[in-house]
Amino acid sequence: MGEPVAGVGRFKANYAVERKIEPFYKGGKVQLDQTGQHLFCICGTKVNILDVASGAVLRSLEQEDQEDITAFDLSPDNEVLVTASRALLLAQWAWREGNITRLWKAIHTAPVATMVFDPTSTLLATGGCDGAVRVWDIVRHYGTHHFRGSPGVVHLVAFHPDPARLLLFSSAADATIRAWSLQDQSCLAVMTAHYSAVTSLTFSADGHTMLSSGRDKICVVWDVRSHQATRTVPVFESVEAAVLLPEEPAPGLGVKSEGLHFLTAGDQGLLRVWEVASGQCVCTQRRLPGPRQELTHCALAHRAGLLLTVTADHNLLLYDACSLRLQKQFAGYSEEVLDVRFLGPKDSHIVVASNSPSLKVFELQTTACQILHGHTDIVLALDVFRKGWLFASCAKDQSICIWRMNKAGKVACVAQGSGHTRSVGTICCSRLKETFLVTGSQDCTVKVWPVPEALLSKGTAPDGGPVLLQAQATQRCHDKDINSVAVAPNDKLLATGSQDRTAKLWALPQCQLLGVFSGHRRGLWCVQFSPTDQVLATASADGTVKLWALQDFSCLKTFEGHDASVLKVAFVSRGTQLLSSGSDGLVKLWTIKNNECVKTLDAHEDKVWGLHCSRLDDRALTGAGDSCIILWKDVTEVEQAEEQAKREEEVVKQQELDNLLHEKRYLRALGLAISLDRPHTVLTVIQAIRRDPEACEKLGATVLQLRRDQKEALLRFCVTWNTNSRHCHDAQDVLGLLLRHEAPEELLAYPGMQASLEALLPYTERHFQRLSRTLQAATFLDFLWHNMKLPTFPAAPSVAPSAL
């Protein structure tokens, strides 16, 4: 490859999260702004705003109550966003800044199920689960109307496009449409034609015609003035959304004549265009390979020329409104991620297998997504060939697919094969050249599949569609499901790991058994060859990773640390370290030489099924049952450089501190010691100040000149010093100074002051009691001393010499 491998000659010590690909849409309403630049969608307690150009989440809006969002709507002028939460609160947002400008109670007695702005962006209608429809003046901030009479949940509200008409339409659980007059505050008409839930209401440009769709497989055209149905069009599918198209020719949509046409999206998973006059379908979208995916939503942003659809598995698709040509794809929710792989010669893309028959390919630089259809059941495993352009997938549908990515980043299926009799749960590509694949299945067999020469040409896909793959060899390898297969770096050996608690070594290409690795107490989830040594790593449901010698099949080392099944293992740092991922949601980094777990990475909340390392060995990729895909970056060198710089800086600061103390520049010395955030160093400076002959004045003058944050730190250090009888005098001196010269209000404003006082009191009382006992003892000694003195006798009279 000619590229340097990062990490040669050194051990890794840590990985940091470089980026996360998380769910941003879990069902519910989706809305494009009028310009087609931003996409709004619900994800639990948040409304996420996506940049359509890049696919990145620009902002997440969450109400203060942190309850699930039940409805939202963006005003036609793109300025105001209103959200409703399960706590019956409505929030009005300045969404570009992410600020709530107004919060008020919905007054509904049950959560708001739907809401819509009027064409002037001044009125908002809300439909509740309590059967009520309310209208709010967003500018003047008050409720204007309260309409009762709808049975059950009001799940649809729509204003008439002509604001002068002051009409509001709603639909509830009884499958009728009610027309409400805002002027008369009354129900004008109850329009009946549907036999099940009405799913959408849309109006013609002149406002005289309304189209309704339903799950009863019909669309009804209404005369708004007479409130009568003028046409019923059977569309032969349960419709989730219908859109009236502009009355202009659109050959790409089959619209060649004047008159009303509408587009439907429903359980058939296809967009279809219908002519109202004839009731005929004039255009049907081309069906994609793979299982049919019901469409749950459809909306037209006419000014932007975009049509938005949403599939049942939470994929958001943007089409050109004039031709139905796919423009953008977004994967809103991946459910459980089962496998992940880097793609491209420079690991520019990643491919993700989730709980779905479709694969998702993300470009790491832009988060642009492609959704690949080829399998008919859940894709279980992935692997990539050496050069990074070709990769393979296997699925529950007992088939395998080979995919090719071209230089533009577009991926196409180039080969398909089938032959297993049960789910294909694991796949591995040849390591030296793009010559063969190996698959393992629940049918307890392994198959070797040669890669046809036609696939190695540089075309996007071979003529005539995917090539058919034929298995070269089939071998029954285990008595239970085969969970993992691995091909040795020289393409001559194959390892298999099974639910029967053993791993086996086979000679390729004919799959002759060479030996068995026995020792795990439960089934094996992963087997992996070392890139440099004749060693095999196995990961098991018994919570351990074992290393085995290929020569004699003996166990060399066992790594214990996971609290649950170890699902994946990978060699890093040229085979000197291991990465493992488990059911406990953890990723662990191990050094093989000393069996040490160097680092535990905890960022997932569920089983980490997918683990893959980049070619340069500087990044890792994980995917888990929590729907998150995390890109990890090796930060060992960065952290070591930072640590070295920190040590050097501390040496320089220590020298500077010594110089300042020597020069008796105590204020600078104390400030520098506090900045180092080392209580012992600060204590040394305090003691140096107190040893000075003019101690009291110098200490007082120095401490009182400190900044407030420095005083806060000093108080925090006093708590530590006060716990030690040798240093308590220094702590009490500083504390006394602060108490004498700082007002109580200022001291109480210090963060954590209460906790500091609580920590200071018990030790201070203890020191005070000790001093009191010492003082009592000293007083008693003084008393004894005075009482032990001999009485002073009067001096004998001296005899004068003359008396002798």
Side-chain angles (χ1 to χ4, degrees), residues 726-763:
R726 284 183 299 170
H727 305 143
C728 66
H729 302 293
D730 306 297
Q732 293 295 329
D733 266 5
V734 173
L735 196 58
L737 272 169
L738 290 172
L739 289 171
R740 281 196 301 274
H741 294 93
E742 292 277 326
E745 303 81 40
E746 289 182 24
L747 282 172
L748 285 169
Y750 287 8
M753 184 63 187
Q754 189 172 347
S756 297
L757 285 173
E758 286 173 4
L760 282 164
L761 280 171
Y763 282 100

Side-chain angles (χ1 to χ4, degrees), residues 393-666:
S393 60
C394 59
K396 274 189 175 180
D397 61 9
Q398 306 171 13
S399 75
I400 65 169
C401 289
I402 298 180
W403 310 78
R404 183 192 288 125
M405 184 172 75
N406 63 17
K407 290 187 177 177
K410 297 294 178 190
V411 181
C413 180
V414 292
Q416 288 179 316
S418 58
H420 283 288
T421 57
R422 294 189 67 188
S423 296
V424 188
T426 178
I427 193 164
C428 188
C429 300
S430 54
R431 295 296 172 223
L432 285 176
K433 292 182 180 177
E434 298 163 335
T435 50
F436 66 90
L437 291 166
V438 179
T439 55
S441 167
Q442 283 185 355
D443 62 14
C444 305
T445 66
V446 158
K447 287 182 182 286
V448 181
W449 309 77
V451 176
E453 286 288 330
L455 299 190
L456 306 179
S457 62
K458 293 188 178 180
T460 307
D463 295 334
V467 172
L468 191 64
L469 296 173
Q470 296 286 341
Q472 175 186 359
T474 302
Q475 177 68 48
R476 183 179 173 85
C477 296
H478 291 271
D479 297 328
K480 290 187 178 178
D481 299 1
I482 297 170
N483 291 333
S484 180
V485 293
V487 175
N490 62 3
D491 283 352
K492 292 181 179 176
L493 298 173
L494 170 70
T496 57
S498 167
Q499 205 65 34
D500 66 7
R501 299 183 292 184
T502 65
K504 294 184 180 180
L505 190 67
W506 310 82
L508 288 173
Q510 296 306 319
C511 292
Q512 295 106 345
L513 181 62
L514 299 176
V516 180
F517 304 95
S518 298
H520 281 291
R521 299 187 306 278
R522 296 185 68 184
L524 273 67
W525 281 111
C526 186
V527 292
Q528 201 76 292
F529 284 99
S530 167
T532 52
D533 302 313
Q534 295 205 356
V535 169
L536 182 77
T538 57
S540 166
D542 62 14
T544 66
V545 175
K546 288 182 182 286
L547 289 185
W548 309 83
L550 298 184
Q551 290 91 344
D552 58 4
F553 307 102
S554 63
C555 180
L556 301 173
K557 284 181 181 287
T558 300
F559 301 88
E560 297 180 89
H562 284 279
D563 294 331
S565 302
V566 186
L567 302 174
K568 279 284 193 295
V569 65
F571 283 90
V572 292
S573 307
R574 284 260 176 115
T576 59
Q577 289 182 293
L578 290 170
L579 272 177
S580 63
S581 67
S583 293
D584 50 11
L586 303 176
V587 178
K588 288 181 179 285
L589 175 65
W590 308 84
T591 297
I592 292 172
K593 188 175 181 181
N594 56 14
N595 272 52
E596 182 189 357
C597 177
V598 180
K599 192 74 180 176
T600 298
L601 308 173
D602 186 4
H604 286 290
E605 295 174 5
D606 207 340
K607 300 178 182 72
V608 184
W609 288 109
L611 171 68
H612 193 222
C613 298
S614 65
R615 300 160 185 274
L616 295 180
D617 202 25
D618 60 342
R619 292 188 297 175
L621 187 65
T622 55
D626 59 4
S627 309
C628 275
I629 300 143
I630 298 182
L631 184 66
W632 303 86
K633 187 175 179 64
D634 177 12
V635 291
T636 306
E637 283 187 357
V638 174
E639 287 188 349
Q640 286 174 349
E642 285 176 357
E643 188 64 33
Q644 181 65 26
K646 194 176 176 183
R647 281 199 297 269
E648 289 173 1
E649 187 183 358
E650 286 189 359
V651 168
V652 170
K653 282 188 174 180
Q654 188 63 51
Q655 185 60 53
E656 188 182 347
L657 186 63
D658 293 341
N659 294 341
L660 290 170
L661 286 174
H662 182 70
E663 296 165 13
K664 298 189 177 182
R665 294 164 64 188
Y666 294 124

Side-chain angles (χ1 to χ4, degrees), residues 95 159 354 490 570 616 770 804:
W95 60 270
F159 278 101
S354 57
N490 62 3
L616 295 180
R770 192 175 67 251
L804 291 174

Side-chain angles (χ1 to χ4, degrees), residues 31-33 35-40 49-56 58 306 318 327-330:
Q31 186 177 359
L32 270 174
D33 68 358
T35 62
Q37 294 177 328
H38 300 99
L39 194 151
F40 298 75
I49 305 170
L50 263 74
D51 177 45
V52 170
S54 67
L58 294 178
L306 291 173
L318 281 173
Q327 301 282 316
K328 292 272 182 184
Q329 303 177 77
F330 305 106

